[in-house]
Amino acid sequence: MQREQMEFDVVIVGAGPAGLSTACRLMQQANEAGKELSICVVEKGAEVGAHILSGAIIEPRALNELFPNWEELGAPLSVPVTEDQIYFLRDSEKSIKVSNIMTPKSMHNHGNYIASVGNLCRWLAEQAENLGVEIFPGFAADRIVYGEDGRVAGISTGDMGLDSEGKPKANYMAGMDLLAKYTIFSEGCRGHLGKELIAKFDLDDGVDPQHYGLGIKELWEIPNELHQPGLVLHGTGWPLSDSASTGGFFLYHTDNNQIVVGLITDLNYSNPHVSPYDEFQRMKHHPLISKYLSGGKRISYGARAIAKGGLNSLPKMTMPGALLLGCDAGTLNFSKIKGTHTAMKSGILAADVLFPELISQGNGGLDLVQYKEVFKQSWLHDELFKSRNFGAALHKYGTLVGGALNVIEQNIVSFPFTLHDTAPDYACLKPADECKSINYPKPDGLLSFDKPSSVFLSNTYHEEDQPCHLKLKDGDVPLSNNLPVFNEPAQRYCPAGVYEVLDDGNGAKRFQINSQNCVHCKTCDIKDPAQNITWTVPEGAGGPSYPNM
Amino acid sequence: MSILVIAEHDNNQLKSATANTVAAAQKLSALMGSSVDLAVLGQDCQSVVTQASSVEGIDNVLVADSAAVAHQLPENLAPFLADLVQQKAITHVLFCSTAQGKNVAPRVAALLDVAQISEVTDIIDEATFIRPTYAGNALAKVKTSDPIKVLTIRSTAFDGVDMTSGAASVVALSDVKDQELSRFITESVVESDRPELTSARVVISGGRGMQNGENFSLLESVADKIGAAVGASRAAVDAGYVSNDMQVGQTGKIVAPDLYIAVGISGAIQHLAGMKESKVIVAINNDEEAPIFNVADLSLHADLFEALPELEKTL
Amino acid sequence: MKVLVAVKRVVDASVQVRVKADKTAVDLANVKMSMNPFCEIAVEEAIRLKESGIAEEVIVVSAGEDACQEQLRAGLALGADRAIHIQSDAELQPLAVAKLLHKVVDQENIGLVILGKQSIDGDNNQTGQMLAALAGMPQGTFASNVVIENGEAVVTREVDGGLQQIGLKLPAVVTTDLRLNEPRYASLPNIMKAKRKPVAQITAEELGVDVAPRLSTLEVNDPPARASGKRVGSVVELIDALKVEGVL
Ligand SMILES: Cc1cc2nc3c(=O)[nH]c(=O)nc-3n(C[C@H](O)[C@H](O)[C@H](O)COP(=O)(O)OP(=O)(O)OC[C@H]3O[C@@H](n4cnc5c(N)ncnc54)[C@H](O)[C@@H]3O)c2cc1C
Ligand code: SF4
């Protein structure tokens, strides 16, 4: 069936920092040059920012370049970092404060701001719309449209109003093809179209596999007397160290008596009994954290994977007719756990490369290989190069030794070698019976909570009667392979309780997918040991609705 | 200062919600020291008048027996009531928070140029009230600056007064004029074997603990005995036990029956969001730790496959 | 016949609202706002009337701050012809909104007004009835079906325990219940076109309406948490307890 089509100069998939920066910069240049450009941004969230979850401490470098007068324009960066503290949690009780000289430079945050990246995107979207960009929240890019010559020609938005069997309901509305000279993929970490492009165009040829972490975060309102706006805590060690897993926590004091607290669990963990959700819940009972949370009230919850492979894992970012930007490619600087400024910069650079192409009257569709050079000349590359060994060192040598190497490399000398980490995260799981089982404490309902109550606070909603957006390549794998070998880890790595193995009442097991709970973190797509789960977009507007995350 | 309650009835029967609204009126009257009258507006509604005069704590039953209000058409009721309120210097007009009350109260308030306060759940003083907003997720304490207060009263928030012990005098009012704006065509009571989920007085719901769709017949037989509607948790719907129009919860139906019986339901917050306003919650579950027990008024820790048949037998 | 549809900007139905720590209101900072679901149904009904040739023009109107133009544009994207924004930064309560709408009804010579039965923030369920009173029109509240024939609106209403059918002389006011229809999605080209359609603006002062609130909110609280009650040891004990509660 021929679908309805619309044509633009540029179609951007995803209204995150990368996509919106590209849009703003392109329009700024067009307006300056007195040229007309049609730029369309599709965003799967019901509004811009609805699906964005971040820390976040924001380094304003890229924002300064994009909107030097951002303060005047009211960008929501109002809480400067005032104090940095780094801890090593030894166990459930004890912690060691690490002195400043012992921490890598990348973890110092002077001059940065604590902010919600969701709110930053809401603001960026306003700027973009004022500049003339068309933004369509609630429309998910479902498929890539390829030209006859194999180039990327645009995307197709998903159908709306299909029932669970895929049949049209009364309010059915077919998706549309949005065609463009160039399409920007900025879906964030593990974009489902980005994944397809990387495979189709072999973009990751010759680079290390991408590595991921799962960030789980909560927003708390705490008593005024405990609140210190601008205070930043980072740390590592317990509770992940119990299962020889790695990762780190963050706790930032923002404004309005609110703090964010979160735990990033590296997804290369090997013990299938690990539940990042429960690790985070028990972590909040550590005195270092609970001293802030006791007496407070949890007001929001969410989770999102983070792409942390850095330069070593960064794929080629261009292909005929398209660019892959921001965390969709993997521009995050994991040594700083910051990806916002790098995602933005990747978008600004893309706009600089794209603009001359767009006004040159061509039909688009080229592989803008010159992006690579422009990227190499930029501070973005410098920054990622300096920290290229960070993640690999932690993976290889653990938090202590790896951490020390990072201090030396970043603060003192630059190593002339690169560490590589070639095992993909999904291949790291060991059989369940070879691993220590973990007895997570029951949530107490004050500091720690069960998954359903958490998902409730993410405002997640999916139209009830629609096809399941979590696709199993082989429907038998969860019970025939994952369950006996790994005790089906999806039950534990999914932070929203989407996957369950249930008794069917007749002594047999059943694999249940509660797709309506999905907070779009992408972990299942990453960590399933059989790589059997494919995350696809649900009907537009479905998913979490994060305020201030 | 005086208080007027508008009776809810169908020309034959005085509806029990009236007793709850009278209870609210009495709380007000205790604060203000004023009388409480009950208005019965209808046609050929003598039996309602008789019942109304035995409602506890009523001074006068004001009766308008007119063809124009046979079907409670608000176009005819509202101007009549607005006049009555002004004539009798009534300060508080109380309606039941029912389809009928909600239909008429705002129309009366607008004619009097005063605010209307909906779904009042508590009375603080003669001008200050508590009412739920955001689907019950926030309780607002509101104070009105208007001289006349037009309220609808949520019946589950006030225990009904006795409907047999009163001895009010009956006062006839003038005829109600037909404004000729609207006409009644028909009324149909939805005929079904079981009451509708959202309006049932008793709801019995099953969750994943039911284990399969066939087992829902255990719930149905109990439901038939006590005239209950049958609901389900999302887990039961997702598992394919029952169809999704039976789902109670955040994304399903919101119910607030007098009695809610949760069977084999864990009590996830998403389910609670759909039934937490129920007056009495009963939980039957074999998992001692199930969160449903934290909100249930009556908890039975038992195997539902034993408890349900026993319940059916004993009821 | 011209159809006027009133739409309200409210917190999105998927958002779990939270009472602010200072108890002055619920926290709406950066939460998603949408068109009130009952208003969406009202817009859909009006558009269907237009599609069936009964309505000549569908006008959407919203009263409130500038942000509510977003919901007006959503109405335009769904198929409304024109939009009117009644600008006011005051807290608008149902009576004030009804008065504002009354002015628009008079100015525009409206044949049918469709509103949602209530908004999911205030849960007042008043505005349609109040407007009908002020405009001297009949009202069909909680509508699950609307048929326009012989100069009359035949409205099926959802009442307690059943359905009621009434006939209303036109012009009339209808408020929508959930089952009236299932709203369509707005298509991307229509959203784009809606962005370019003009939205007429008029202020509450210009309409000469005193919108000062009659109710002041003294405090907003969380609903009391349900405490866990009594354990019963057996079915018999349970039934006895229910009898004591008076619910059996
Ligand atoms: C727990 C955590 C803590 C972090 N802390 C920090 C920090 O302190 N500082 C910092 O700078 N960074 C931090 N980051 C990283 C930062 O959030 C990301 O690097 C940044 O948001 C990436 O921007 P992006 O534009 O590439 O992708 P995203 O921000 O992920 O945006 C992608 C957008 O695309 C949309 N989208 C995706 N697929 C589709 C589709 N198919 N169709 C339509 N729309 C689609 C998504 O809904 C989303 O809005 C953190 C991340 C996490 C998870
Ligand atoms: S289903 Fe997958 S993407 Fe969705 S919340 Fe669970 S792990 Fe994340």
Side-chain angles (χ1 to χ4, degrees), chain A residues 214 303 305 469-470 490 493-499 513-515 517-525 533 535:
Chain A
L214 169 58
H469 71 281
L470 300 153
Y493 60 61
C494 173
V498 169
Y499 301 101
I513 305 183
N514 304 307
S515 58
N517 284 6
C518 175
V519 298
H520 298 198
C521 76
K522 313 285 180 81
T523 302
C524 50
D525 196 285
I533 302 176
W535 189 95

Side-chain angles (χ1 to χ4, degrees), chain A residues 494-510:
Chain A
C494 173
V498 169
Y499 301 101
E500 292 177 286
V501 175
L502 301 171
D503 287 323
D504 71 353
N506 305 317
K509 300 276 184 202
R510 195 162 58 77

